Amino acid sequence: MDVTCRSIKRKIAMYKRLTALLFSLFFSAAPCLAAEEVALDISFGNEGVVTTKLGSSVDEATAIAVTDDGRIVVAGSSDNGLGSKMAVLRYLPDGTVDHEFSFSMGGSLGSVHADDAVHALALEADGSILLGGTLTVDGVRQGAVVSLLPQGQLDVNFGTNGISYIDAGAVESEIRDLAIDKNGRIIVSGFVDDGTRESPLVARFNESGDADLLFNETGVFVDDHIEGRATGLAEAADGSVIVGGYCVYDDSWKGLYLGQFLENGELDTGFGDNGRAVWFDDVEQILVHDIALSPDEKIILAGQVEMASGQTRIMLARYGKDGKPDSGFGENGILVHDTGLDSGVQSLVVNPDTTIIAAGFQALSTGKDMVIIRYLPPVAGETMTESLEQLTETSVSGDEPVETISISTLSIVEGSMNIPVGTPAARNYEADLITTELAGSDEVSNAILMTEDGTIYTAGYSGDDENSSFIVARYSGLVGEGTSVDSGAAAVTEYYRIGTMPVTGVTRVSAMSGGNVVLKGGLDSTECTEGCEESCQDAEDVAACVSECEESCQIPEVIGRGVVYSIEPNPEYEGTTESTNDDTGIDSDVNTSTVDDTSDSDETDSIDFGAFFDVSDYFVKKGQTEDGSGVGTYTSEIEGINPQTIYYVRAYGLLSDGSIIYGNQYRFRTEDSCFIATAAFGSIDMFAVKALRDFRDHYLIPYEWGQSIVNTYYLVSPTIADLIEQSFFLRLLIILLLTPAVAGAVFLLYTTVLMKCALIVAAPLTWCFIAFHKKKYWIVHA
């Protein structure tokens, strides 16, 4: 039996080698790299994205949840042109609208002439849905909790006909976040508005929808010592409630706000300073949109900072269980990610391994794109700051961080805070930034959710300020074809900030990127040159000294710019070649590239097919573009690259002093290509094409000789594929020729070892049986 199995295994191995050589005549792909990153799940909706139009004007999703059976519940608001209403949708696992859900056909809840909306939702154990938001009653906005049965109908046994309102006196109120605590009670956070100022609010309801009188005796706590909003909440392991948001002083300037409440609704005086922690920056305003707890109960906050220029940047913060900033996370517990463009995050989740993932937006010149930013946990023995600093080459220089402002120093003056403020504490750090765009519209993610298997869902809106739709996206764990991942923030050098534009328009052999070069604010050489005479007064040749000094004060100009790309990380500008521009010394060849000139195999036990296939003229390892000079935004066309290959790209700027500056790095993978098979079968998604691609990846790509064969294939296959697409008879012929190859691929890939053995043994027996009976037939009838 052992001898037979070994013999069968040898036959299978021989068959694999023979089939591999035959298959290489019909299809191939360049080597690809595996990367455990986030990318759209193309099996969901339309290439990973679903958009749904409800009202006649602005529709916006702000909350998302997934049921045990994989259905996606999304809530927000829908505007009919007169005012917005609460809106809820449910989707099937594949992204189609679930018509069994009563709200799915555009149903909404709210007044006709009002601005009502859902800002948060949670699923109960029995499948019921809790919504937190605002409903207008008699012209007054009120924070409301709405309970829906699993199929979307109002639960009339909850509150009053399915709705419970915040009872905060004669003031308007809103609910911004909602959660179900470990005892099944409903906790909410938000704010009240008395007409002159807003104050953070925390409340708790019983399962029935009644105010929980065990929470601050009324069920509601209004933090009237603070002007601001509580935009997010989380429950700690001990049952206390932590709320986060922003506070305001001097009527407008915003800063970070945290508060912790015991189960009885009182402030936890052991947290921060008497139950609260606030922090202001005197350069940038801070807006917190969401909070979450890490497995070690660190408090993570997500939002954005706004500079004096009006530009916004992504902000994350981390505080300890005691309400003090985490010194191991950025500066004073705050990280700011500068994409070089307006950006911010609205919602976040924290993985069990403490990875932080947040969703929001990034504003390009063509509109806003959805973004997901991921901060990986530090390696053992490192702080978050040390780990992230190793990933970046440049960072913003900031002043010394300040301590958390003591609540005891606050004094309420005419409804605002009269307090000292700090100095900038934000720096740039590297992170993965994943962008998602749809042509011709803005896309913003307001909510993010991660399931136990690591699947990520986001919800928000797609459109513009006058007409938009719900948008839901689902992401898996790999870098998909045609997608890109940002691995850093815009770089800030002595004189410039340079950012790489997201990679778009990725095809099999090309992509679009670019850069944005901005002169740092506050740079002025006047003060420097004015000091030259004083510094040179003791020199032997004062005039020469002053001239040299003033020349050193000049800011170097950007005399060349573009992008550099490579199959290796951190591509660099190659400098000049034989063809140069005499004025700048910059290579005048646009989109030059370097090809792989090595195809010899080091393996001694494999066939050296590289000797027969010359791939030195095909495989592009690196290249660069030249896209003008000076500051500003520019576009770069990357052409002539390889299919199904991961490339790294970053913007560069060549300065007049000879130095080179680089922007953040994007990683993207070009689309797959199976030219001839795709042309014959009509689509790359056909099962036959998929079988051939899978065979390629398992039996050709792992070997250098296989890579040489498939790379050589690309030299001739595009032209042949074009001819095949134009002729029905050629398509039919190629399908007939490929059918045995497809059958062989299916046999090798999709059958078990036992089945392979059985088929190999059965084949000769079947032939012998047929031959015997055929011979017997002719003998009988002879």
Side-chain angles (χ1 to χ4, degrees), residues 49-182:
V49 175
V50 173
T51 58
T52 308
K53 184 63 182 168
L54 297 177
S56 59
S57 183
V58 176
D59 297 331
E60 182 172 2
T62 52
I64 188 170
V66 176
T67 63
D68 292 339
D69 60 357
R71 303 188 188 211
I72 305 110
V73 182
V74 180
S77 61
S78 177
D79 195 327
N80 58 10
L82 300 175
S84 62
K85 297 182 180 182
M86 286 185 168
V88 189
L89 283 172
R90 191 171 72 186
Y91 298 91
L92 297 174
D94 64 357
T96 58
V97 173
D98 184 358
H99 297 295
E100 295 180 0
F101 191 73
S102 64
F103 272 69
S104 292
M105 299 308 295
S108 55
L109 181 66
S111 303
V112 176
H113 301 281
D115 291 320
D116 301 327
V118 177
H119 297 296
L121 73 85
L123 300 181
E124 297 193 270
D126 65 356
S128 297
I129 302 167
L130 292 174
L131 310 174
T134 304
L135 286 173
T136 302
V137 180
D138 296 329
V140 179
R141 290 181 302 133
Q142 294 190 36
V145 177
V146 178
S147 179
L148 303 179
L149 297 175
Q151 293 303 324
Q153 305 93 342
L154 278 171
D155 180 2
V156 295
N157 295 317
F158 179 89
T160 302
N161 294 322
I163 305 174
S164 291
Y165 295 97
I166 294 290
D167 184 8
V171 294
E172 294 191 332
S173 60
E174 286 192 18
I175 290 176
R176 287 287 171 165
D177 202 1
L178 174 149
I180 302 171
D181 72 9
K182 59 183 179 181

Side-chain angles (χ1 to χ4, degrees), residues 9 18 23 79 129 158 179 224 449 461 674 685 705 740 747 780:
K9 289 181 179 179
L18 178 61
F23 284 6
D79 195 327
I129 302 167
F158 179 89
D224 52 13
L449 168 75
Y461 72 87
C674 204
D685 296 321
W705 61 266
F747 171 73
V780 171

Side-chain angles (χ1 to χ4, degrees), residues 632-664:
T633 302
Y634 59 91
T635 301
S636 302
E637 297 183 8
I638 302 172
E639 299 176 326
I641 51 182
N642 296 94
Q644 205 186 7
T645 303
I646 287 183
Y647 284 95
Y648 299 83
V649 61
R650 57 179 179 170
Y652 76 86
L654 181 64
L655 305 186
S656 56
D657 62 1
S659 62
I660 303 173
I661 57 177
Y662 296 101
N664 49 305

Side-chain angles (χ1 to χ4, degrees), residues 43 192 202 313 397 541 577 709:
S43 67
V192 297
V202 186
R313 301 186 293 169
S397 298
D541 188 342
T577 63
I709 293 173

Side-chain angles (χ1 to χ4, degrees), residues 547-762:
S547 177
E548 182 177 352
C549 174
E550 290 180 346
E551 183 176 350
S552 68
C553 292
Q554 300 303 310
I555 298 173
E557 297 180 352
V558 180
I559 59 174
R561 65 190 188 185
V563 298
V564 287
Y565 55 91
S566 172
I567 60 173
E568 299 294 335
N570 301 316
E572 295 185 351
Y573 178 70
E574 288 291 305
T576 59
T577 63
E578 293 181 359
S579 176
T580 61
N581 183 305
D582 294 336
D583 296 330
T584 64
I586 303 173
D587 182 6
S588 61
D589 291 332
V590 177
N591 203 47
T592 58
S593 60
T594 303
V595 296
D596 188 358
D597 57 1
T598 61
S599 59
D600 295 334
S601 173
D602 295 330
E603 297 187 20
T604 59
D605 59 345
S606 62
I607 303 174
D608 185 11
F609 286 99
F612 301 97
F613 300 98
D614 182 11
V615 299
S616 61
D617 290 332
Y618 175 73
F619 189 62
V620 177
K621 297 174 64 176
K622 57 186 175 180
Q624 60 195 40
T625 71
E626 178 192 335
D627 303 294
S629 60
V631 298
T633 302
Y634 59 91
T635 301
S636 302
E637 297 183 8
I638 302 172
E639 299 176 326
I641 51 182
N642 296 94
Q644 205 186 7
T645 303
I646 287 183
Y647 284 95
Y648 299 83
V649 61
R650 57 179 179 170
Y652 76 86
L654 181 64
L655 305 186
S656 56
D657 62 1
S659 62
I660 303 173
I661 57 177
Y662 296 101
N664 49 305
Q665 176 176 268
Y666 273 90
R667 180 169 66 258
F668 70 96
R669 186 169 74 179
T670 48
E671 293 182 352
D672 194 1
S673 183
C674 204
F675 292 103
I676 293 178
T678 302
F681 288 97
S683 171
I684 201 169
D685 296 321
M686 293 291 289
F687 174 78
V689 181
K690 181 180 184 302
L692 296 177
R693 293 167 63 195
D694 288 345
F695 177 85
R696 172 204 62 205
D697 294 338
H698 286 84
Y699 294 108
L700 292 181
I701 295 304
Y703 307 102
E704 189 168 345
W705 61 266
Q707 294 174 15
S708 298
I709 293 173
V710 298
N711 285 335
T712 304
Y713 164 86
Y714 280 129
L715 296 174
V716 296
S717 61
T719 302
I720 297 175
D722 289 340
L723 294 175
I724 293 172
E725 285 181 332
Q726 299 172 15
S727 171
F728 171 79
F729 294 103
L730 282 178
R731 289 182 60 186
L732 182 60
L733 175 63
I734 296 300
I735 289 175
L736 292 174
L737 292 174
L738 286 177
T739 298
V742 173
V746 172
F747 171 73
L748 290 175
L749 292 165
Y750 309 135
T751 58
T752 63
V753 174
L754 181 60
M755 187 177 294
K756 289 181 175 71
C757 292
L759 289 174
I760 290 176
V761 172

Side-chain angles (χ1 to χ4, degrees), residues 420-477:
V421 294
T423 52
R427 288 176 179 259
N428 287 302
Y429 294 87
E430 290 227 5
D432 288 341
L433 189 71
I434 299 92
T435 62
T436 302
E437 65 170 342
L438 300 180
S441 63
D442 291 340
E443 283 76 46
V444 174
S445 291
N446 291 320
I448 187 170
L449 168 75
M450 175 177 287
T451 59
E452 292 183 356
D453 64 358
T455 301
I456 295 173
Y457 293 85
T458 64
Y461 72 87
S462 174
D464 54 38
D465 294 337
E466 297 181 355
N467 192 357
S468 62
S469 305
F470 275 25
I471 185 170
V472 180
R474 186 165 75 191
Y475 300 83
S476 59

